Every structure is written in structure tokens, then in C-alpha cells.
């Protein structure tokens, strides 16, 4: 295994004393593409917040870039490009695509430094990487959901990150766009050599694309290559009766609740 | 009208109004985008309570107003972070409580004090040279801070959590913004008054919001609109002998309604 860039060691996380993730032990190697799956409320978003250093563990430890996450400084955070779960954007918020992508540079630049021409080049390059270079002056609110998602991925890329952390990148966009967003992530993983963590409830979408899957439901139930994790006995333990396995081995997890919050 | 401009008091009040207009409309961009409109209104009334207390006790009014204003914004900020109560409720309580304090302090004064009421309704035409210097000094501090931290302020206005996740010290920047709001309110108190100061923060920025899709353009437009409306309001008030605060605010409101009518966003929406 290559050098681990993120190391959970018996780490427990939560809010107000209630554990959202318990006793997680998991190493993620540099350059890996890991899919994080699990039902709703299984702690997937908590995992993202923990990796960003926004949530120190109650017990155990989490190290990122060999730096304990409680001490994660701002410049470390800038090395993790993050795509938060899509919220409905105020379509009238006055911001252009380039202005939004430039924000990816701000954390890395630090206080008191003004963005230079070089930062602008980096932002434009990031837009090109996601195929949105022709929209740099467009109002963000005028784009479709899938295009906005690309712009936010470009913002994450503008941080020139080592790790790309994507929380449900395909939720709330139409099915063809979902595939093209995932193709994009796969390409970025390959071409830019990024370590990618992709959180999703949609197992079918990513099972053929990732190196490893991590199956969460408060605890880490399994982590390994997809064929090892996606076994009926393991899945049934996590999903219970919500699990339907068809003859062609296609796994459908009925996730009704997802659309309601 | 040119004749009017040759008077010292007129030059002073024009300068004061334009400074206040510029500072209010610049910070207004972040207030509007970050959704802090109500916070500002509460701060204005708290600051007025500070002024009333200062007159009652014989303390310097601006200093006490700043203390009251800062206490209010910081308490509000903490309440927002804790998230135990809806922000509009907690600010509503603070807002009415500080107003009650102001009325209490006014009631405790033995005599009617016209100067205090100047802070409530604004009296730009009576700005003294020393007050103008204070307005200018504080105004430049606020503008300087806005310029220095503009990229972080824009980021937290757009998405504070994302800003924090990508390495911006978002919490500290948020408190900086709240602090600047309090200072701006106090600086503007004498010119437009506690009741109307928030109109000067909200209206130019909301007008600019209607007209553009770019953060940079919104800021420029807001400052231009704010400064021009302030100057225009002062001129109108002296020509027609109107109270200055309402003249500035009503002029800005008229411009706002025009911007809503001609907003490209409104046109887009009707197409969609």
C-alpha cells in the first residue's frame, strides 16, 4: 500500500455527546479512489467534516498529511478540495463563475494577500479541467445544476488540492449529468493523480469506478475492493430489508428517505 | 444651489453624508449577502440606547454607543453560532429590549434634550467640524478593513461553511464583519439617525443586487448609489427645507424601486 495520507485509528466523532461515527479505523493511501457508502444518517457527512478538521474525535485519532486533525491548520485545509452536499443555491446571488472559482484560492493564499494574475490562471485552468472555460463570466445562478456542480468542483481544484472530497456529488442532478460528473471525477483522479473520497448513497453509480469502497453505518462495516464489500451478507447487515438484489447482481438500495430532507 | 455650497456647514454636511453613504453602502453589500439585515437594525437601536445613557450620565455619546453596538452584534453572533433559537427571535428580543432601555434613559432625563433626538432622527446639517473628523477617521478604518479582508468577507457571505472548510478563518472574519457593522452604525448615527441608518446600509446594496450578477460590480454600484443618494438627499433637504435623514433614505428608496422595475433578474425570472 502506498503512503497513507488519511489515517483513522479507533476514532469516534459526534455532536453533543452522541456518536455519529464510532471506532473508525481506516487508512486511505495517496492516489486512491475510495467510495464511501452507507444508508442515510450513517455518518457519511460526519466523515467529511472530520477529514476537513472541522470536528475533532471524542476518542481515538485522525491524522491527515501526518498532522493530527485537531491541529489542522488553515494551509492544510486548503490542500483538501471539498465539494459539500448540494444545497439549493440562491439563483440571484450576484456572483460570476470565475468569482466563485477564485474563492478556491482564498484559503490557500491566506490573509492579507490579494489574488494575483497567477491565481487567476490557476482558477481558469481549473475551469478548463471541468470543461467550463467558456462560462467564466456567466452568472453562477444561470447555470444548470450539473454545470454548477462542475463549477464547484473547479473551485475545489483551484485550491490545488492533494485530496478531493466529494459529498453526494450526484444528488439533485439529472441522470445523464450524474454520469458525466462521475466521468469527470474519474478523469481528475487519473490525470491529476488526486486522492479521491467520494461519498454517495448510490452504490451502482460508483462500484465500477473506485479502487475501494468503505461501507459505513455509524461503524465501519467493511472496507476493501468493491467485490469484497458488496457481498449480500455484509450488505444485508447494514441495509436490512431495504436491500434488493436482482438476478444480475445489481444492488438496489431503496433509499426513500433521501429525497425528503 | 451653488450659493448654498459656499457655506461651511453645507460643505461639512455634504462631506459627512457622502462619507456615511459610502461606508454604509460598502458594508451593506456584505450585510445583504450574508443575511444580516435584521442584526443591523437591532444594532442601530442598541447604539441609540447607548447615546441616551451617555447623555443621562454625561459620558461621551459615541463611545457609549460603540460599546452598546458591539455588545449587541457579538451577542447576536454567539446566538447564531449556538443556533438554539431562531435568529429573528433572538434579535427581536434584543432589539426591543435595547429600545426599551433607550426610552427608559430618555424618561429618566429631567429635561427635554434636543441633541439626543438628533441621534434618533439624524441631523446632518448640524454636523460639527470635530464630528466630521471622527466620522472620517472611523469611516476610513471601516473602509480599510473591508478592503484588506474583502476576499474573506465575500467568501463567508457566499458560503461560510465552505470558506471554513477551505482554510479561511471564517469565524474570526464573521466577527470582524459584525464589529464593522457596529462601528458603521455608530458612525452614521448623527447623520441619518438610528431609525434610518439601516436603510442606508440595506438600500444601496439591495439596489445594486438587483442590477448585476457579479460581486465586484455589485460592490462598486452599491457605493456609487449610496454616495450619490446621500449627497442628493442633503441637497434636496436644504433646498426644500426637509429633514435630512428622511430625504436621503426616501431618495435611496425611490432609486431602489426603479432598480426593481428595471432589474435584469426580474426580466429573467419572468422568462423562466
Amino acid at each position: 500500500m502506498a503512503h497513507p495520507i488519511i489515517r483513522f485509528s479507533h476514532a469516534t466523532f459526534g455532536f453533543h455527546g452522541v456518536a455519529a461515527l464510532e471506532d473508525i479505523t481506516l487508512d486511505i493511501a495517496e492516489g486512491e479512489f475510495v467510495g464511501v457508502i452507507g444508508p442515510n444518517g450513517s455518518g457519511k457527512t460526519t466523515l467529511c467534516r472530520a477529514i476537513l478538521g472541522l470536528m475533532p474525535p471524542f476518542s481515538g485519532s485522525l491524522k491527515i498529511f501526518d498532522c493530527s486533525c485537531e491541529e489542522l491548520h488553515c494551509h492544510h485545509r486548503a490542500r483538501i478540495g471539498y465539494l459539500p452536499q448540494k444545497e439549493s443555491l440562491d439563483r440571484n446571488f450576484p456572483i460570476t463563475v470565475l468569482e466563485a472559482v477564485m474563492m478556491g484560492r482564498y484559503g490557500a493564499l491566506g490573509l492579507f494577500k490579494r489574488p494575483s494574475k497567477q491565481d487567476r490562471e490557476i482558477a481558469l485552468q481549473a475551469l478548463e479541467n471541468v470543461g467550463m472555460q467558456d462560462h467564466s463570466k456567466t452568472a453562477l445562478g444561470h447555470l444548470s445544476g450539473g454545470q454548477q456542480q462542475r463549477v464547484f468542483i473547479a473551485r475545489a481544484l483551484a485550491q490545488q488540492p492533494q485530496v478531493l472530497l466529494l459529498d453526494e456529488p450526484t444528488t439533485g442532478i439529472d441522470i445523464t449529468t450524474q454520469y458525466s460528473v462521475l466521468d469527470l471525477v474519474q478523469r481528475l483522479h487519473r490525470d491529476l493523480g488526486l486522492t479521491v473520497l467520494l461519498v454517495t448513497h448510490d452504490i451502482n453509480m460508483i462500484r465500477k469506478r473506485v479502487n475501494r469502497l468503505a461501507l459505513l453505518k455509524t461503524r465501519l462495516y467493511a472496507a476493501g475492493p468493491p467485490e469484497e464489500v458488496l457481498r449480500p451478507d455484509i450488505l444485508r447487515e447494514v441495509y436490512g430489508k431495504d436491500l434488493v438484489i436482482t438476478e444480475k447482481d445489481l444492488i438496489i438500495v431503496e433509499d426513500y428517505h433521501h429525497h425528503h430532507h | 444651489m451653488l450659493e448654498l455650497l459656499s457655506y461651511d456647514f453645507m460643505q461639512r454636511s455634504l462631506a459627512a453624508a457622502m462619507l456615511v453613504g459610502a461606508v454604509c453602502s460598502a458594508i451593506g453589500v456584505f450585510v445583504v449577502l450574508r443575511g444580516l439585515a435584521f442584526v443591523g437594525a437591532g444594532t442601530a437601536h442598541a447604539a441609540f440606547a447607548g447615546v441616551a445613557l451617555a447623555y443621562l450620565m454625561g459620558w461621551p455619546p459615541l463611545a457609549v454607543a460603540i460599546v452598546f453596538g458591539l455588545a449587541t452584534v457579538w451577542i447576536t453572533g454567539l446566538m447564531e453560532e449556538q443556533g438554539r433559537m431562531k435568529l429573528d427571535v433572538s434579535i427581536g428580543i434584543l432589539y426591543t429590549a435595547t429600545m426599551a432601555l433607550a426610552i427608559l434613559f430618555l424618561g429618566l432625563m429631567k429635561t427635554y434634550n434636543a441633541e439626543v433626538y438628533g441621534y434618533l432622527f439624524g441631523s446632518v446639517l448640524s454636523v460639527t467640524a470635530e464630528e466630521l473628523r471622527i466620522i472620517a477617521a472611523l469611516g476610513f478604518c471601516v473602509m480599510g478593513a473591508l478592503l484588506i479582508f474583502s476576499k474573506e468577507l465575500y467568501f463567508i457571505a457566499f458560503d461560510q461553511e465552505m470558506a471554513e472548510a477551505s482554510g479561511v478563518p471564517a469565524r474570526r472574519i464573521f466577527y470582524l464583519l459584525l464589529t464593522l457593522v457596529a462601528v458603521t452604525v455608530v458612525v452614521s448615527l448623527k447623520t441619518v439617525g438610528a431609525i434610518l441608518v439601516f436603510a442606508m446600509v440595506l438600500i444601496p446594496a439591495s439596489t445594486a443586487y438587483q442590477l448585476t450578477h457579479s460581486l465586484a460590480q455589485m460592490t462598486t454600484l452599491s457605493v456609487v448609489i449610496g454616495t450619490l443618494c446621500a449627497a442628493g438627499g442633503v441637497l434636496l433637504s436644504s433646498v426644500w427645507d426637509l429633514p435630512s435623514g428622511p430625504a436621503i433614505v426616501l431618495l435611496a428608496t425611490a432609486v431602489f424601486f426603479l432598480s426593481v422595475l428595471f432589474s435584469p433578474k426580474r426580466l429573467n425570472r419572468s422568462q423562466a
Side-chain angles (χ1 to χ4, degrees), chain A residues 49 52 54 74 77-78 80 82 84 89-90 92-96 99-100 103-104 106-115 139-140 142 152 155 159, chain B residues 33-34 147-152 154-159 161-169 172-173 209 212-218 265 268-269:
Chain A
R49 296 181 52 82
L52 289 164
L54 298 175
C74 290
R77 238 171 243 173
I80 306 170
Y82 174 48
L89 179 84
D90 173 6
N92 285 325
F93 195 99
I95 188 167
T96 66
E99 282 174 332
M103 285 179 173
Y106 293 175
L109 269 173
L111 295 173
F112 307 111
K113 286 204 195 81
R114 304 208 73 77
L140 185 60
H142 288 180
F152 289 132
R155 176 175 66 183
Q159 289 175 227
Chain B
L33 295 179
R34 180 63 179 71
L147 268 178
I148 291 170
F149 297 103
S150 60
K151 69 182 197 302
E152 285 82 11
Y154 282 128
F155 205 164
I156 68 157
F158 183 51
D159 187 342
E161 196 177 347
M162 187 59 218
E164 191 175 3
S166 70
V168 168
R172 274 180 280 161
I173 295 291
Y209 183 100
T212 172
H213 296 295
S214 147
L215 281 173
Q217 278 178 24
M218 174 177 169
K265 292 180 184 178
N268 281 329
R269 214 174 301 138

Side-chain angles (χ1 to χ4, degrees), chain B residues 19-116:
Chain B
L19 271 169
V20 165
V23 177
C24 283
S25 51
I27 199 153
V29 170
F30 303 101
V31 169
V32 166
L33 295 179
R34 180 63 179 71
L36 294 174
F38 209 12
V39 177
T43 313
H45 290 83
F48 178 67
V51 170
L53 178 65
Y55 273 94
L56 182 66
M57 307 299 290
W59 294 335
L62 280 185
V64 186
I66 286 207
V67 172
F68 269 61
L70 287 178
T72 312
V73 286
W74 288 339
I75 291 171
T76 317
L78 284 173
M79 288 207 261
E80 196 199 54
E81 279 184 353
Q82 301 265 320
R84 287 211 194 121
M85 212 186 288
K86 279 198 166 175
L87 197 59
D88 55 347
V89 176
S90 48
I91 297 174
I93 292 169
L94 267 180
Y95 180 172
T96 43
T98 49
M99 202 57 207
L101 271 181
I103 297 166
L104 179 73
F105 296 144
L106 289 176
L108 289 174
M109 285 177 209
K110 296 282 180 293
T111 52
Y112 174 83
N113 190 329
E115 261 183 80
V116 183

